[in-house]
Amino acid sequence: MLYHVFMDVKIPRDLPAEERADILAREKAYSQDLQRQGTWRHIWRVAGQYANVSILDVRDNAELHQILSALPLFPFMQITVTPLLRHPSAIRGDDS
């Protein structure tokens, strides 16, 4: 099942630099691993914001929740999730 996920990141300014660097490194490794697995299908940065729009391909709501709540930046995110369905007028068959 495909999900459109908007992630708005708000890291506290007073977070120690070493802790911030560690969290960002773990976040990058985790998200890239999910991309290699095909679970995190697309990720785009939102221009002018510390936010992204992503497409995740997971079994169900529970798996999506598990993946998102395991993000190292999760405590600093506001996340909006929209389930997606294939549009009947779509001509591409490789994005279901």
Side-chain angles (χ1 to χ4, degrees), residues 12-43:
R13 292 181 186 263
D14 61 349
L15 191 69
E18 287 182 15
E19 187 176 344
R20 178 187 173 102
D22 176 65
I23 291 170
L24 292 175
R26 289 186 293 118
E27 179 84 10
K28 183 175 184 177
Y30 180 67
S31 67
Q32 288 182 343
D33 184 49
L34 289 167
Q35 289 174 66
R36 284 185 205 87
Q37 293 174 33
T39 301
W40 200 314
R41 300 265 302 264
H42 302 278
I43 183 170

Side-chain angles (χ1 to χ4, degrees), residues 47-61:
Q49 299 178 37
Y50 193 2
N52 73 76
V53 172
S54 294
I55 304 296
L56 280 82
D57 188 359
V58 296
R59 197 173 42 255
D60 54 27
N61 293 339

